[in-house]
Amino acid sequence: MAAVRARTVLLTGANRGIGLELVKQLLRAPRPPAWIFATCRDPEGPRAQELRDLASKHPNLVLVKLDVANPSAVTAAAKVVEGKLNGAGLNLLINNAGIYTPTASLETVDAEDMIRTYKTNAVGPMIMAQVFLPLLKKAARDSTEKGLSCSKAAIINISTILGSIEKTPESFFHPVISYRCSKAALNMLTKCQALTYGEAGILCVALHPGWVKTDMGSQEADLTVDTSVRGLLSVLPILSEKHSGALLNWEAGQVLPG
Ligand code: NDP
């Protein structure tokens, strides 16, 4: 199986669930990245213990405090990352952090939940891309690769099929209004980012990880986190300009309707 060759990678929400498993599998790759910036809200707290244990064994893993819903925290984190990179660019930004209100039907959802979810799931990835853009552009400029790829410069937004407008009737028994709307916005954001950042050599793609056994997905879910992340990491190396702006599935990267 081809592995992603990005030298430098940054992930959000890296302390548990899909984000933590991405870190673990990237560290185990045949040629692991030179730097993995695993960001989370509270790197000193109990929920980041596993990440801290990994960092104590892997000098290429750097923990950085970052709350995607707080723009000034994103700017502060970018300064830390830039310092570590010491003149190099950032090849791969994975916007993974997300929140979900399982009970949000049209009867129960309120403005506060809608705004909170939108702020984390859609505004967060927008700000992350804006703030890390100079480092992503640098990686693209420094690369000798032709075309767009995850090893050159890429923004991967972890989205969901629940954000697909066309597919909504198939899953509407589970309305999750705030989550769906925020992820539909994320899919649109990905398209807009692809159309804008593509010229600078940055690939922008949204990925659906499947229904995964995590705190968010619950233990009822179809996939183990290991299977989902193995799938996601096998899709990254096959991505190119033809996928730019699309929502793709975790398994073999099939295009999903937006
Ligand atoms: P989890 O609930 O297990 O983990 C969510 C992660 O996001 C945690 O690390 C959490 O950190 C972090 N997070 C939440 N809010 C913020 C914030 N404001 N700033 C920084 N980090 C934050 O979820 P999953 O691992 O299952 O989900 C990861 C991504 O995959 C999400 O974007 C989700 O929408 C998507 N996805 C998941 C599916 C599933 O079935 N699990 C299906 C489809 C998509 P903390 O510990 O601080 O709360």
Side-chain angles (χ1 to χ4, degrees), residues 2 33 54 65 90 110-111 154 190 198 221 235 238 241:
L54 284 171
K65 186 176 171 71
L90 177 66
D110 58 18
T190 307
V235 170
I238 65 170
E241 43 281 1

PDB file of all heavy atoms in Angstrom, residues 2 33 54 65 90 110-111 154 190 198 221 235 238 241:
ATOM      1  N   ALA A   2       0.582   2.199  -0.905  1.00  0.00           N
ATOM      2  CA  ALA A   2       1.363   3.442  -0.951  1.00  0.00           C
ATOM      3  C   ALA A   2       1.138   4.228   0.340  1.00  0.00           C
ATOM      4  O   ALA A   2       0.054   4.182   0.921  1.00  0.00           O
ATOM      5  CB  ALA A   2       0.922   4.266  -2.150  1.00  0.00           C
ATOM      6  N   PRO A  33       6.713  11.153   8.753  1.00  0.00           N
ATOM      7  CA  PRO A  33       7.040  12.558   8.527  1.00  0.00           C
ATOM      8  C   PRO A  33       8.183  13.018   9.436  1.00  0.00           C
ATOM      9  O   PRO A  33       8.359  12.491  10.549  1.00  0.00           O
ATOM     10  CB  PRO A  33       5.737  13.284   8.887  1.00  0.00           C
ATOM     11  CG  PRO A  33       4.663  12.247   8.794  1.00  0.00           C
ATOM     12  CD  PRO A  33       5.308  10.945   9.155  1.00  0.00           C
ATOM     13  N   LEU A  54       3.175   9.129  23.567  1.00  0.00           N
ATOM     14  CA  LEU A  54       3.759   8.957  22.223  1.00  0.00           C
ATOM     15  C   LEU A  54       4.876   9.961  21.986  1.00  0.00           C
ATOM     16  O   LEU A  54       5.936   9.621  21.451  1.00  0.00           O
ATOM     17  CB  LEU A  54       2.677   9.151  21.147  1.00  0.00           C
ATOM     18  CG  LEU A  54       1.685   8.014  20.945  1.00  0.00           C
ATOM     19  CD1 LEU A  54       0.558   8.462  20.020  1.00  0.00           C
ATOM     20  CD2 LEU A  54       2.392   6.791  20.341  1.00  0.00           C
ATOM     21  N   LYS A  65      -0.736  23.351  21.599  1.00  0.00           N
ATOM     22  CA  LYS A  65      -2.069  23.726  22.099  1.00  0.00           C
ATOM     23  C   LYS A  65      -2.808  24.506  21.013  1.00  0.00           C
ATOM     24  O   LYS A  65      -2.264  25.480  20.466  1.00  0.00           O
ATOM     25  CB  LYS A  65      -1.871  24.600  23.341  1.00  0.00           C
ATOM     26  CG  LYS A  65      -3.142  24.972  24.069  1.00  0.00           C
ATOM     27  CD  LYS A  65      -2.758  25.763  25.333  1.00  0.00           C
ATOM     28  CE  LYS A  65      -3.953  26.373  26.008  1.00  0.00           C
ATOM     29  NZ  LYS A  65      -4.820  25.402  26.654  1.00  0.00           N
ATOM     30  N   LEU A  90       4.833  23.753   5.480  1.00  0.00           N
ATOM     31  CA  LEU A  90       3.936  22.704   5.998  1.00  0.00           C
ATOM     32  C   LEU A  90       3.303  22.004   4.800  1.00  0.00           C
ATOM     33  O   LEU A  90       2.603  22.636   4.009  1.00  0.00           O
ATOM     34  CB  LEU A  90       2.851  23.329   6.891  1.00  0.00           C
ATOM     35  CG  LEU A  90       1.812  22.359   7.437  1.00  0.00           C
ATOM     36  CD1 LEU A  90       2.454  21.361   8.418  1.00  0.00           C
ATOM     37  CD2 LEU A  90       0.686  23.128   8.148  1.00  0.00           C
ATOM     38  N   ASP A 110     -31.222  24.627  18.682  1.00  0.00           N
ATOM     39  CA  ASP A 110     -31.394  26.062  18.946  1.00  0.00           C
ATOM     40  C   ASP A 110     -30.220  26.840  18.353  1.00  0.00           C
ATOM     41  O   ASP A 110     -29.254  26.255  17.850  1.00  0.00           O
ATOM     42  CB  ASP A 110     -31.552  26.332  20.455  1.00  0.00           C
ATOM     43  CG  ASP A 110     -30.370  25.834  21.267  1.00  0.00           C
ATOM     44  OD1 ASP A 110     -29.295  25.605  20.680  1.00  0.00           O
ATOM     45  OD2 ASP A 110     -30.523  25.661  22.489  1.00  0.00           O
ATOM     46  N   ALA A 111     -30.353  28.145  18.417  1.00  0.00           N
ATOM     47  CA  ALA A 111     -29.360  29.017  17.779  1.00  0.00           C
ATOM     48  C   ALA A 111     -27.977  28.779  18.367  1.00  0.00           C
ATOM     49  O   ALA A 111     -26.977  28.735  17.642  1.00  0.00           O
ATOM     50  CB  ALA A 111     -29.777  30.473  17.963  1.00  0.00           C
ATOM     51  N   ALA A 154      -1.181  20.313   0.966  1.00  0.00           N
ATOM     52  CA  ALA A 154      -2.605  19.942   0.913  1.00  0.00           C
ATOM     53  C   ALA A 154      -3.335  20.299   2.199  1.00  0.00           C
ATOM     54  O   ALA A 154      -2.755  20.307   3.285  1.00  0.00           O
ATOM     55  CB  ALA A 154      -2.738  18.437   0.661  1.00  0.00           C
ATOM     56  N   THR A 190     -14.498  23.591   1.291  1.00  0.00           N
ATOM     57  CA  THR A 190     -13.434  22.823   0.627  1.00  0.00           C
ATOM     58  C   THR A 190     -13.382  23.158  -0.863  1.00  0.00           C
ATOM     59  O   THR A 190     -12.311  23.338  -1.441  1.00  0.00           O
ATOM     60  CB  THR A 190     -13.676  21.308   0.821  1.00  0.00           C
ATOM     61  OG1 THR A 190     -13.840  21.054   2.215  1.00  0.00           O
ATOM     62  CG2 THR A 190     -12.517  20.491   0.293  1.00  0.00           C
ATOM     63  N   GLY A 198      -5.709  26.315  -5.104  1.00  0.00           N
ATOM     64  CA  GLY A 198      -5.149  25.431  -6.142  1.00  0.00           C
ATOM     65  C   GLY A 198      -4.082  26.142  -6.957  1.00  0.00           C
ATOM     66  O   GLY A 198      -3.048  25.556  -7.310  1.00  0.00           O
ATOM     67  N   ALA A 221     -20.905   1.895  15.867  1.00  0.00           N
ATOM     68  CA  ALA A 221     -20.488   2.256  14.497  1.00  0.00           C
ATOM     69  C   ALA A 221     -19.954   1.051  13.722  1.00  0.00           C
ATOM     70  O   ALA A 221     -19.614   0.015  14.303  1.00  0.00           O
ATOM     71  CB  ALA A 221     -19.425   3.353  14.584  1.00  0.00           C
ATOM     72  N   VAL A 235      -5.864   6.621   1.014  1.00  0.00           N
ATOM     73  CA  VAL A 235      -6.447   7.529   0.002  1.00  0.00           C
ATOM     74  C   VAL A 235      -5.510   8.727  -0.242  1.00  0.00           C
ATOM     75  O   VAL A 235      -5.341   9.169  -1.379  1.00  0.00           O
ATOM     76  CB  VAL A 235      -7.857   8.004   0.446  1.00  0.00           C
ATOM     77  CG1 VAL A 235      -8.378   9.127  -0.440  1.00  0.00           C
ATOM     78  CG2 VAL A 235      -8.843   6.830   0.454  1.00  0.00           C
ATOM     79  N   ILE A 238      -3.099   8.885  -3.244  1.00  0.00           N
ATOM     80  CA  ILE A 238      -3.646   8.813  -4.615  1.00  0.00           C
ATOM     81  C   ILE A 238      -4.304  10.132  -5.025  1.00  0.00           C
ATOM     82  O   ILE A 238      -4.736  10.290  -6.156  1.00  0.00           O
ATOM     83  CB  ILE A 238      -4.650   7.637  -4.797  1.00  0.00           C
ATOM     84  CG1 ILE A 238      -5.899   7.843  -3.926  1.00  0.00           C
ATOM     85  CG2 ILE A 238      -3.986   6.293  -4.495  1.00  0.00           C
ATOM     86  CD1 ILE A 238      -7.019   6.856  -4.233  1.00  0.00           C
ATOM     87  N   GLU A 241      -4.918  16.665  -8.613  1.00  0.00           N
ATOM     88  CA  GLU A 241      -5.782  17.791  -9.007  1.00  0.00           C
ATOM     89  C   GLU A 241      -7.177  17.342  -9.415  1.00  0.00           C
ATOM     90  O   GLU A 241      -8.135  18.090  -9.269  1.00  0.00           O
ATOM     91  CB  GLU A 241      -5.151  18.685 -10.090  1.00  0.00           C
ATOM     92  CG  GLU A 241      -4.456  18.026 -11.229  1.00  0.00           C
ATOM     93  CD  GLU A 241      -3.042  17.553 -10.866  1.00  0.00           C
ATOM     94  OE1 GLU A 241      -2.608  17.729  -9.715  1.00  0.00           O
ATOM     95  OE2 GLU A 241      -2.410  16.976 -11.743  1.00  0.00           O
TER      96      GLU A 241
END
